[in-house]
Amino acid sequence: MQGYRWLHLRALQRGYVASQDTIRQLIKLFDPEGVELRRARRLRRRHYRNKGPNPLWHMDSYDKLKPYGIGINGCIDGFSRYVVWMEAYRTNNDPKVIADYFITSIARLGGCPERLRADRGTENGHVENMLVFLRRNHTDSFARDRSFVYGRSTANQRIEFWWGILRKQSAQFWINLFQTLQDDGHFSGDFLDKSLIQFCFLNLVQDELNEVVTTWNSHKIRPKAGHGVTGGRPVLMYTLPEMHGAEDCLKTIDLEELALCKEECTPKSQYPCDETVFDLCCLLMQEKGWDAPRDAFSAAELYLLLRNEILLNI
């Protein structure tokens, strides 16, 4: 699923020393079919321009794992392609949870974007209201109601492109794994099965999301002459825009107003699933001597053990 540039960066991050050409030759040797598939899936996209980081963020939800109880929500900066947040949780349509991602991010960055784009899903209503509230006293042309932009999810170019990256680098693996459990008769889609998936896999999915985001934010984007695409590494383009002849458009916010918004948010729970199911699973693991999962395959094994044990006692 992964190209040679991406795998080269992953190798360096894991302590392996190899040239890009070595990685490219290895991929071509071991996965010639994948190389051809990646070549065949090049898309022509409309030109996109921004004057620097933070004039426009793109926010959206990713539903490919939702049938199994895991929803993903993310946001990306339009200029730098820096991923602002990427969160996996039991839901991605609770407006108070999505708002917490937004408020936590702008508190960390010390300001909010000029504008934020999202689709018309009900989960985005709180973010819209909070951004308009925080921007109501600003005097630029995108202040107040103009700070939030609605549009079709499929036309939300930056985040839609990133979902394609996520699927190739991570999500397709989880889709295949969960689909195998379903095909083998070990997942029915009911409350218990979704809760067990969340208990066994949610933290692993989030850990891998964090790794994919770290790799993406530090990889090098090649410039495209005539397309308005600035080259560089997203994290540097976002934090040091002057290196690329750009200006930071982050808007200042009042800390007391930010605290008011925070009170209307719902942070992610410390429990990856329903609390009652969580307590039951922990009790069974303690009684049976089952270890916490370290990777996807040990998580799948634990899922089957817990499911069989619970169903036998219902």
Side-chain angles (χ1 to χ4, degrees), residues 75-93:
C75 180
I76 190 169
D77 174 62
F79 168 77
S80 62
R81 286 81 98 198
Y82 175 81
V83 176
V84 181
W85 75 76
M86 194 61 53
E87 299 288 343
Y89 191 47
R90 299 179 299 195
T91 177
N92 61 2
N93 56 12

Side-chain angles (χ1 to χ4, degrees), residues 175-288:
I175 293 171
N176 293 346
L177 178 61
F178 297 151
Q179 185 65 56
T180 299
L181 291 173
Q182 186 172 14
D183 292 344
D184 291 345
H186 302 307
F187 179 84
S188 66
D190 63 11
F191 171 77
L192 175 62
D193 285 354
K194 286 185 178 181
S195 295
L196 291 177
I197 287 285
Q198 293 160 356
F199 178 83
C200 296
F201 292 98
L202 182 58
N203 290 336
L204 293 174
V205 172
Q206 183 64 65
D207 288 343
E208 186 161 282
L209 269 181
N210 294 341
E211 186 174 351
V212 173
V213 167
T214 298
T215 303
W216 169 261
N217 282 343
S218 58
H219 92 294
K220 189 171 184 179
I221 298 173
R222 290 177 295 174
K224 294 183 179 179
H227 288 67
V229 177
T230 304
R233 302 185 188 277
V235 64
L236 294 179
M237 295 170 67
Y238 186 81
T239 57
L240 298 171
E242 60 274 10
M243 292 177 57
H244 302 275
E247 59 176 301
D248 192 349
C249 299
L250 195 72
K251 299 300 180 182
T252 58
I253 50 178
D254 184 275
L255 294 182
E256 291 185 1
E257 293 179 351
L258 186 67
L260 289 175
C261 291
K262 185 69 174 178
E263 292 177 2
E264 299 300 318
C265 298
T266 302
K268 290 166 67 172
S269 171
Q270 60 178 321
Y271 301 103
C273 63
D274 176 79
E275 187 174 350
T276 301
V277 176
F278 179 85
D279 290 338
L280 176 60
C281 290
C282 290
L283 181 62
L284 287 173
M285 290 175 65
Q286 185 177 10
E287 288 181 352
K288 303 293 185 179

Side-chain angles (χ1 to χ4, degrees), residues 38-250:
R38 286 190 294 276
R39 284 177 178 171
R41 290 178 179 174
R42 292 177 177 172
L43 301 176
R44 292 176 177 265
R45 297 182 178 271
R46 65 182 176 86
H47 298 176
Y48 179 104
R49 291 179 175 85
N50 260 325
K51 56 188 175 181
N54 300 309
L56 183 60
W57 287 2
H58 300 260
M59 180 179 72
D60 195 19
S61 291
Y62 187 73
D63 294 337
K64 300 301 183 184
L65 301 182
K66 202 168 183 179
Y68 309 102
I70 297 176
I72 296 174
N73 182 271
C75 180
I76 190 169
D77 174 62
F79 168 77
S80 62
R81 286 81 98 198
Y82 175 81
V83 176
V84 181
W85 75 76
M86 194 61 53
E87 299 288 343
Y89 191 47
R90 299 179 299 195
T91 177
N92 61 2
N93 56 12
D94 185 329
K96 289 194 172 185
V97 172
I98 306 303
D100 188 68
Y101 301 154
F102 172 67
I103 293 299
T104 299
S105 295
I106 64 176
R108 182 183 78 248
L109 297 170
C112 65
E114 269 190 345
R115 292 181 295 166
L116 192 150
R117 174 173 176 148
D119 61 34
R120 292 190 177 276
T122 56
E123 71 272 15
N124 300 322
H126 278 47
V127 173
E128 176 189 11
N129 293 334
M130 289 177 183
L131 181 59
V132 171
F133 170 70
L134 294 170
R135 296 267 284 125
R136 72 191 187 285
N137 294 323
H138 294 165
T139 57
D140 60 274
S141 58
F142 296 116
R144 297 175 288 281
D145 291 344
R146 298 192 65 191
S147 61
F148 198 91
V149 181
Y150 277 117
R152 290 181 296 113
S153 179
T154 53
N156 204 352
Q157 185 175 331
R158 281 290 189 254
I159 192 72
E160 283 298 310
F161 173 81
W162 206 87
W163 292 143
I165 297 295
L166 178 65
R167 180 151 188 166
K168 287 189 292 184
Q169 309 302 337
S170 174
Q172 188 62 55
F173 171 83
W174 297 109
I175 293 171
N176 293 346
L177 178 61
F178 297 151
Q179 185 65 56
T180 299
L181 291 173
Q182 186 172 14
D183 292 344
D184 291 345
H186 302 307
F187 179 84
S188 66
D190 63 11
F191 171 77
L192 175 62
D193 285 354
K194 286 185 178 181
S195 295
L196 291 177
I197 287 285
Q198 293 160 356
F199 178 83
C200 296
F201 292 98
L202 182 58
N203 290 336
L204 293 174
V205 172
Q206 183 64 65
D207 288 343
E208 186 161 282
L209 269 181
N210 294 341
E211 186 174 351
V212 173
V213 167
T214 298
T215 303
W216 169 261
N217 282 343
S218 58
H219 92 294
K220 189 171 184 179
I221 298 173
R222 290 177 295 174
K224 294 183 179 179
H227 288 67
V229 177
T230 304
R233 302 185 188 277
V235 64
L236 294 179
M237 295 170 67
Y238 186 81
T239 57
L240 298 171
E242 60 274 10
M243 292 177 57
H244 302 275
E247 59 176 301
D248 192 349
C249 299
L250 195 72

Side-chain angles (χ1 to χ4, degrees), residues 4 7-8 11-12 16-26:
Y4 75 92
L7 280 180
H8 178 252
L12 293 178
Y16 297 103
V17 179
S19 67
Q20 280 194 358
D21 187 62
T22 298
I23 299 294
R24 183 177 62 82
Q25 294 293 345
L26 286 170

